[in-house]
Amino acid sequence: MSDDAHLIETKITSEQVFDGKLLHVRRDTVRLPDGGVATREYVVHPGAVLIVPVLADGRLVVERQYRYPVGQVFIEFPAGKLDPGEAELATARRELAEEAGYAAAKWTPLGRIHSVVGYSDEAIDFYVAEELTHVGAKLDAGEFLEVFTMSLDEILAALDRGEITDAKTVAALLLYTRRVKSSPP
């Protein structure tokens, strides 16, 4: 983008509205590009990673997990938030072992998304984990999920049936499928 100045909002003031264990909410007053003033409320998030774990036979490791805010169980790739000072790849390694019970010898960056740009600064980095070794899951206290595998065709069919609606999993699946389909046999 050569010149975005006509689109940029400039922070005038900022205040903390909520300071929780995971999320923090801020309310900023901004100067609009036309000189007007507006209020922006948004969630500050520490960042997260998502892992697409691929077994030697090509099956993908996924999990089913209940998500309280929407009151239902979702099919998702393993994922988790960054701990303070933790690098993205370190988080990915930790989350793959803790949630899915695997360690990977090969890690490939897959992309990044900003999940809900209208009201959060959350960024999620995606990795493909290959050459997996089962090490046994070590779930956090209060974390409950089921780990299972699906072929790429099975997970795409589940997506088509509307059984996968988690945005980060949908985006990672798109990026992973493009990668697989464009790779030479």
Side-chain angles (χ1 to χ4, degrees), residues 8-140:
I8 305 296
E9 299 175 358
T10 306
K11 184 186 329 179
I12 299 170
T13 64
S14 183
E15 67 177 304
Q16 183 174 294
V17 176
F18 174 77
D19 188 28
K21 184 177 178 181
L22 168 64
L23 302 175
H24 313 282
V25 178
R26 300 210 59 87
R27 180 181 302 122
D28 293 357
T29 301
V30 300
R31 175 127 3 253
L32 300 172
D34 67 0
V37 174
T39 300
R40 300 290 183 241
E41 294 178 339
Y42 59 99
V43 175
V44 177
H45 189 280
V49 297
L50 173 144
I51 306 99
V52 179
V54 184
L55 295 169
D57 65 4
R59 287 177 300 133
L60 305 173
V61 179
V62 293
E63 40 191 61
R64 293 180 66 242
Q65 187 171 9
Y66 179 78
R67 295 301 193 170
Y68 181 82
V70 289
Q72 67 185 66
V73 173
F74 285 83
I75 297 172
E76 306 174 40
F77 285 120
K81 72 172 186 62
L82 277 67
D83 284 343
E86 187 176 41
E88 288 82 358
L89 184 54
T91 302
R93 291 179 191 279
R94 176 177 51 79
E95 288 292 340
L96 180 62
E98 285 178 5
E99 288 189 3
Y102 286 94
K106 182 179 177 185
W107 290 88
T108 307
L110 186 59
R112 170 181 267 198
I113 64 166
H114 293 90
S115 54
V116 286
V117 296
Y119 61 87
S120 179
D121 66 354
E122 180 184 34
I124 304 173
D125 288 293
F126 296 160
Y127 292 91
V128 176
E130 297 171 292
E131 300 175 20
L132 301 180
T133 302
H134 193 263
V135 295
K138 296 172 186 75
L139 297 175
D140 291 334

Side-chain angles (χ1 to χ4, degrees), residues 146-169:
E146 294 175 353
V147 176
F148 62 105
T149 63
M150 298 177 85
S151 70
L152 183 56
D153 287 341
E154 289 170 335
I155 199 167
L156 289 171
L159 176 70
D160 290 343
R161 290 190 301 268
E163 296 169 9
I164 298 175
T165 61
D166 170 59
K168 67 187 182 307
T169 298

